[in-house]
Each structure stands twice: as C-alpha cells, then as structure tokens.
Amino acid sequence: MAKRKKIAAGNWKMNMGYEEGRILARKVVDGVVRSDVTVILGVPFIHLKSMENILGGISNIHVAAQNCHQEEGGAYTGEISASHLTSVGTSYVILGHSERREYFGEGAALLAKKTDIVLKHGMKPIFCCGENLEIREKGTHVKLVSKQIKDALFHLSDEDFRKVVIAYEPIWAIGTGVTASAQQAQDMHKDIRALIAKKYGAETADLTSILYGGSVKPANAKELFAMPDVDGGLVGGASLKAGDFTQIVAAF
Ligand code: 13P
C-alpha cells in the first residue's frame, strides 16, 4: 500500500479580504474532522501571518502561498521571496498554476528556479500542470503534461523530488464547472506516476501525491478521490465556502 499523503488543498486565488479570510479559515479549522488528510489553504500573501495563528498547532492543516519570487531578495519591487514566506510560517507554495503560466508568462525555466528556491528554504512546492482544451482535443495532453513536469522538475535530486506535490489541473476544467471524469483524471495521474517512476524509480513515484484540480466539488470529490492514483484535490471555487471545502476534505 502506498504511504503517500492524502491532500485536500484550497486555492483561494485573488479572493478573500483580511477579515473574510480569517472567518473562512476558522470555519475550515472547525469543520475539518479528518486527521488523516493533509489540509492546505492556499491563500493570498496578506493572510499568511494570521493563518499561522489560526492554524498553528493543528498538525494536519497547513498554509500555502500562491507564488514566490525566484531570487533570494533585493531590488524586485512588489515581489515576495521564499524567506518572506518562511518568516510567516508558510510550508507549501503553489507553483506553475495555469493562471500564472497564461497571465504572467511563467514557463519551465522560471518554474525550475522557483522550485529550487522554495525547496532550498525548506518549503514544499505544489507544482501545477495541465493542458488546454485544444491540446486535449488533439490528443497530445499526456505529452504536454509530461514535458511540463520534466522541464521544470527533473533536474531535482530524488530527495528533493520527494518533497514535491503534483497537481494535474486541466485548464478546460478550471472554473468552468466541467470536471474531468474520474477516469480521465485517473488515466493522466497514472501516466504521471509512470513518468516519475521511470526517472526516480517506483518507490519515489509511489510516495508522490498527485492531486486533481478543476471544478472539484462535494458532489464529485468522492468519485475522484476513489481512483487509485488520485491522492486528493486542488480546489478553487469550492474552497471559498467552508461547508463545501470541509465536505471535500471528508470525501476521501
Ligand atoms: P476551480 O476549482 O474553481 O475549478 O479551480 C481549480 C484551480 O484552479 C485550483 O488551483
């Protein structure tokens, strides 16, 4: 049996003001009944410090940033560094989300650097990959996702790779209400795990948590999480409602 973590991660994206976010996080803390699921709240930077206080001491609930600059520090006005993040107790960083790839031009070379600095500072990357509808319809989605993973992550040592969480997020399923079927998610996750096994060996592949993201809701989470290679979800819209998100946490 694989010992890899079951993970329910929320990605609040650019939502939730300071007070709203605190209320939501408190409700999530109160509503999470599972201690065997790693719960991660991916919050805007303004929330990181107060999350440390709200989530502090609960061993299976963690906070993630949604981005991190690739340099240690210096004259990069408006950016947030890895040491900024660790100074407020951040343990995970979402990297390579399709919205950052699309709107901020983030590609493999940059994501490789961001991955390195996040790991160097002792945090864990949640590395997103996924194809758009055109690629899916062409049937080259496995090739594209494999390339995204190889180009940004396969320079890592085995020890470092084991700290990475993969999130497969087909762009056509993000925020659209159209979820990949459980079988479509399983097929891609199985291929991703095989790719990891080929590079790092079966044990590392077996230990890597691979999350599905794209319109995960209480109504479909159970079926998705029941798939042998789907180790959890990266949840956007439904993570903004405490009731929905805690139901998703309970769906494993
Ligand atoms: P939705 O759950 O809103 O489709 O968003 C998915 C996502 O992008 C999570 O990172």
Side-chain angles (χ1 to χ4, degrees), residues 98-226:
S98 60
E99 287 147 19
R100 295 217 55 90
R101 292 177 190 264
E102 185 179 351
Y103 306 135
F104 302 94
E106 296 195 2
L110 178 68
L111 293 171
K113 284 190 194 158
K114 290 191 176 203
T115 301
D116 288 345
I117 203 152
V118 162
L119 288 166
K120 184 179 166 201
H121 285 263
M123 296 179 288
K124 298 185 175 88
I126 301 173
F127 180 83
C128 303
C129 52
E131 80 287 353
N132 63 21
L133 188 58
E134 195 189 334
I135 301 272
R136 168 62 65 165
E137 284 173 348
K138 259 206 290 189
T140 54
H141 44 287
V142 175
K143 198 171 154 204
L144 177 99
V145 167
S146 302
K147 187 166 166 47
Q148 288 174 331
I149 293 172
K150 274 192 222 165
D151 290 355
L153 300 179
F154 275 13
H155 65 286
L156 296 176
S157 66
D158 182 55
E159 192 191 341
D160 273 346
F161 191 87
R162 289 185 182 208
K163 296 169 190 153
V164 177
V165 174
I166 304 278
Y168 167 58
E169 299 208 303
I171 296 167
W172 46 272
I174 295 178
T176 57
V178 181
T179 318
S181 69
Q183 193 58 52
Q184 282 173 319
Q186 166 59 22
D187 290 348
M188 179 62 89
H189 287 215
K190 192 168 176 231
D191 286 337
I192 293 172
R193 204 176 304 285
L195 178 79
I196 298 167
K198 212 166 145 197
K199 168 79 179 168
Y200 292 102
E203 196 189 337
T204 297
D206 202 39
L207 286 169
T208 304
S209 295
I210 308 176
L211 315 183
Y212 166 78
S215 301
V216 176
K217 304 178 198 78
N220 57 31
K222 218 177 186 66
E223 196 189 350
L224 285 161
F225 298 169

Side-chain angles (χ1 to χ4, degrees), residues 78-99:
E79 291 296 320
I80 300 281
S81 71
S83 54
H84 283 142
L85 299 179
T86 55
S87 74
V88 288
T90 308
S91 41
Y92 289 85
V93 184
I94 299 171
L95 290 178
H97 192 280
S98 60
E99 287 147 19

